[in-house]
């Protein structure tokens, strides 16, 4: 359907990721653009395009080979067209449940996971609601010793990752047969270990001797992926990408590309965040981004609705198990969907405001379609914001759980509703939005978009496996 990627809609889809309140804050323009760059620019050193042809060591000229023999490189380059990527497992930790089916059934029923915050006293904050996880246990998923020390974002990540393995039929027997040098973990976080870092600052006010010796490693965003890989013994690509609210999609596409290029056969990928703590809530309150509909939490998150007054914070994790097709077939895995492709772009415009003409988003979607070999008319399911009406905005984990929702729509033939869409914005084409009740849909291609502060745009596509 051509309307999906038409410029007016794309522009509005980006704007929908920001609240009306945050939009007002943006008008203050605290950061100005100068000379085409936010902080200006300068060029020093060699002229653009100049190359260093040699180096000296002890006064002896040393030749440096800038390019290996091209023929040798090209002969080793894998044929990525022959390596298809499929989804064989899903794991979630969300305000609507910690199982992919429970999570999606609640979405289909229009259940809201938004409620009053209970983790700490927020009575003095103007916002006192969130998509908070009320009940969560690491029993059987994380070693008790580690569970006591880790930040929640790491606990959510490891739990969701292991649940994805379980959901994908990776039993102990299968695990023992895997070539672990060709298995990797790429799960990111927008905020990282905020609670660990915040606690360390409070301890430092007394003395550095009071600080948690694990505060540095457990606050970094990469450590969740690292610990999960250590636990599994997976020795393939292992790192974390942080691109604000686009984090999960960046991780999913990069993980898929490792498989497509022939570097790995199996990847765990997605995102995790646990920002519902005083500093997290306070930070978003300070920039006037959050809804203050405290008396009616279930109605607070209102994507595309003219009466929205900000977004609602959420927490959790969404992780996919991706596999090379033949690898999945060989072990008899259940295939939930096929990953077709994706793309990233940058608005290069403003820290929080989308480009008014949606240039970066349009380019991202067009590039994703080209990468996947899909025509825009083939897309009949678009994901960008509707899940947030029930879960709140999970920041770096948002794309992960939204990818799970898209795959579940492919599997079940049901698309979940948008709740709280009582008065749509006039610029929104409501004909392409699901109403207040779930709808039947034979999904041909699902497009999942995520856009983050910093102008980060990401698009990934899934389809039924054929």
């Amino acid at each position: 359907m051509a309307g999906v990627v038409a410029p007016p809609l794309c522009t509005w889809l980006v704007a929908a990721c920001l609240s009306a309140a945050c939009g007002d804050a943006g008008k203050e323009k605290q950061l100005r653009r100068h000379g085409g760059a936010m902080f200006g620019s300068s060029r020093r050193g060699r002229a653009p395009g100049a190359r260093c042809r040699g180096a000296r060591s002890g006064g002896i000229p040393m030749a440096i080979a800038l390019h290996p023999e091209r023929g040798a490189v090209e002969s080793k380059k894998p044929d990525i067209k022959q390596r298809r990527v499929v989804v064989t497992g899903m794991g979630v930790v969300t305000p609507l449940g910690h199982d992919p089916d429970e999570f999606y059934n609640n979405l289909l029923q229009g259940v809201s996971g938004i409620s009053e915050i209970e983790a700490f006293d927020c009575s003095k904050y103007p916002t006192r609601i969130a998509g908070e996880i009320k009940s969560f246990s690491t029993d059987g998923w994380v070693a008790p010793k580690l569970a006591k020390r880790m930040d929640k974002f790491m606990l959510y990540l490891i739990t969701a990752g292991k649940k994805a393995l379980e959901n994908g039929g990776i039993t102990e027997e299968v695990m023992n047969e895997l070539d672990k040098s060709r298995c990797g973990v790429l799960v990111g976080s927008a905020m990282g270990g905020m609670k660990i870092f915040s606690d360390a600052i409070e301890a430092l006010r007394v003395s550095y001797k009071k600080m948690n010796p694990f505060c540095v490693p457990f606050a970094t965003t990469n450590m969740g992926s690292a610990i999960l890989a250590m636990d599994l013994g997976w020795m393939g690509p292992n790192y974390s990408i942080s691109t604000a609210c686009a984090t999960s999609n960046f991780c999913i596409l990069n993980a898929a590309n490792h498989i497509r290029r022939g570097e790995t056969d199996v990847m765990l990928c997605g995102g995790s965040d646990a920002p519902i703590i005083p500093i997290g809530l306070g930070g978003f309150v300070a920039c006037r981004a959050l809804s203050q509909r405290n008396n009616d939490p279930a109605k607070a998150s209102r994507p595309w609705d003219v009466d929205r007054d900000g977004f609602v914070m959420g927490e959790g994790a969404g992780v996919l198990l991706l596999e090379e097709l033949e690898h999945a077939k060989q072990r008899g895995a259940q295939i939930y969907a096929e990953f077709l492709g994706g793309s990233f772009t940058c608005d290069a415009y403003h820290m929080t405001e989308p480009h008014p003409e949606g240039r970066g988003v349009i380019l991202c979607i067009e590039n994703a379609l080209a990468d996947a070999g899909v025509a825009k008319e083939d897309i009949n399911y678009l994901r960008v914001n509707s899940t947030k009406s029930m879960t709140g905005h999970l920041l770096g984990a948002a794309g992960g759980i939204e990818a799970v929702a898209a795959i579940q729509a492919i599997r079940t033939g049901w698309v979940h509703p948008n709740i709280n869409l009582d008065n749509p914005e006039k610029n929104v084409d409501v004909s392409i939005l699901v109403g207040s009740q779930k709808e039947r849909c034979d999904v041909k291609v699902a497009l999942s978009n995520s856009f983050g502060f910093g102008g980060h745009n990401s698009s990934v596509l899934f389809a039924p496996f054929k």
Side-chain angles (χ1 to χ4, degrees):
M1 44 196 292
V4 171
V5 292
L9 177 60
C10 288
T11 303
W12 208 94
L13 288 176
V14 190
C17 293
L18 303 175
S19 68
C22 192
D24 292 337
K27 294 177 182 177
E28 297 177 7
K29 302 288 186 182
Q30 293 181 359
L31 293 177
R32 303 288 183 181
R33 292 165 57 83
H34 297 291
M38 185 177 294
F39 302 110
S41 62
S42 63
R43 295 184 180 271
R44 298 180 179 177
R46 297 191 305 273
R51 295 183 179 178
C52 182
R53 295 293 183 181
R56 291 184 176 270
S57 176
I60 302 174
M62 297 174 59
I64 297 178
L66 296 181
H67 302 289
E69 190 66 33
R70 292 191 182 278
V73 174
E74 291 174 0
S75 66
K76 295 179 181 179
K77 185 177 180 180
D79 183 358
I80 64 174
K81 296 293 184 182
Q82 299 304 313
R83 290 183 63 85
R84 296 168 65 182
V85 181
V86 293
V87 180
T88 56
M90 300 175 285
V92 296
V93 174
T94 79
L96 292 179
H98 309 325
D99 171 83
D101 291 333
E102 177 190 11
F103 163 67
Y104 199 63
N105 286 335
N106 281 327
L107 285 179
L108 291 178
Q109 297 302 316
V111 176
S112 175
I114 313 300
S115 60
E116 293 184 1
I117 295 172
E118 298 178 1
F120 61 95
D121 181 10
C122 57
S123 58
K124 296 182 180 179
Y125 291 76
T127 293
R128 298 183 292 278
I129 56 175
E132 184 182 49
I133 294 173
K134 306 296 186 184
S135 176
F136 172 71
S137 174
T138 59
D139 291 348
W141 304 108
V142 183
K145 187 175 182 179
L146 287 176
K148 293 178 180 179
R149 295 172 172 173
M150 288 181 177
D151 191 274
K152 274 188 177 180
F153 100 91
M154 296 176 68
L155 300 178
Y156 294 160
L157 184 159
I158 294 170
T159 302
K162 289 189 174 180
K163 286 188 173 185
L165 292 176
E166 181 183 67
N167 181 256
I170 303 292
T171 62
E172 184 176 354
E173 181 181 356
V174 173
M175 181 71 80
N176 291 334
E177 295 177 354
L178 292 177
D179 180 352
K180 293 181 175 60
S181 69
R182 296 184 59 81
C183 300
V185 183
L186 178 42
V187 186
S189 176
M191 311 301 286
M194 293 184 69
K195 181 65 163 58
I196 292 287
F197 196 74
S198 178
D199 289 348
I201 292 175
E202 291 302 312
L204 184 59
R205 295 180 188 278
V206 179
S207 169
Y208 73 90
K209 296 179 180 180
K210 298 292 185 180
M211 295 175 68
N212 180 349
F214 295 95
C215 66
V216 172
F218 283 176
T220 57
T221 59
N222 72 297
M223 200 55 66
S225 283
I227 294 294
L228 180 55
M230 293 175 200
D231 197 338
L232 302 176
W234 286 14
M235 300 172 64
N238 179 266
Y239 55 102
S240 171
I241 296 174
S242 183
T243 49
C245 308
T247 290
S248 287
N249 276 10
F250 271 71
C251 292
I252 291 169
L253 178 51
N254 275 280
N257 283 339
H258 283 299
I259 297 175
R260 295 163 93 186
R261 292 194 298 261
E263 298 164 358
T264 61
D265 298 319
V266 182
M267 293 290 296
L268 283 170
C269 54
S272 178
D273 260 316
I276 305 176
I277 61 174
I279 192 172
L281 181 66
F284 282 109
V285 164
C287 70
R288 298 188 290 175
L290 300 181
S291 169
Q292 298 183 19
R293 202 183 294 260
N294 299 304
N295 295 329
D296 196 0
K299 298 288 186 180
S301 188
R302 313 180 65 83
W304 295 304
D305 194 87
V306 72
D307 295 320
R308 67 192 185 282
D309 68 328
F311 76 83
V312 178
M313 293 176 68
E315 63 177 348
V319 177
L320 300 182
L321 175 64
L322 301 184
E323 279 189 72
E324 190 272 326
L325 175 58
E326 296 306 318
H327 186 278
K329 284 182 176 180
Q330 187 174 6
R331 72 175 185 87
Q334 179 180 359
I335 296 175
Y336 296 130
E338 181 171 3
F339 176 88
L340 299 184
S343 181
F344 317 127
T345 62
C346 178
D347 279 352
Y349 175 73
H350 190 271
M351 284 200 304
T352 58
E353 292 183 11
H355 192 285
E357 297 175 7
R359 294 178 184 174
V361 173
I362 296 171
L363 179 63
C364 186
I365 294 176
E366 290 176 345
N367 289 348
L369 295 179
D371 182 60
V374 171
K376 60 185 179 182
E377 291 79 13
D378 295 332
I379 299 175
N380 65 337
Y381 182 71
L382 178 80
R383 295 239 37 83
V384 68
N385 218 24
S386 55
T387 305
K388 295 177 175 65
S389 65
M390 290 169 272
T391 64
H393 181 24
L394 274 65
L395 305 182
I401 70 160
E402 288 165 6
V404 170
I407 294 163
Q408 290 286 59
I410 291 172
R411 290 184 63 212
T412 65
W414 286 101
V415 177
H416 70 74
N418 291 300
I419 68 171
N420 304 328
L421 184 57
D422 302 323
N423 188 13
E425 283 274 1
K426 63 180 181 179
N427 293 330
V428 176
D429 182 358
V430 294
S431 67
I432 67 170
L433 295 180
V434 183
S436 59
Q437 300 294 321
K438 64 182 181 180
E439 295 182 9
R440 275 285 184 189
C441 182
D442 178 17
V443 180
K444 295 180 174 60
V445 178
L447 171 65
S448 182
N449 297 315
S450 290
F451 314 123
F453 282 180
H456 302 295
N457 306 311
S458 60
S459 299
V460 293
L461 294 102
F462 301 94
F465 171 69
K466 296 179 181 179

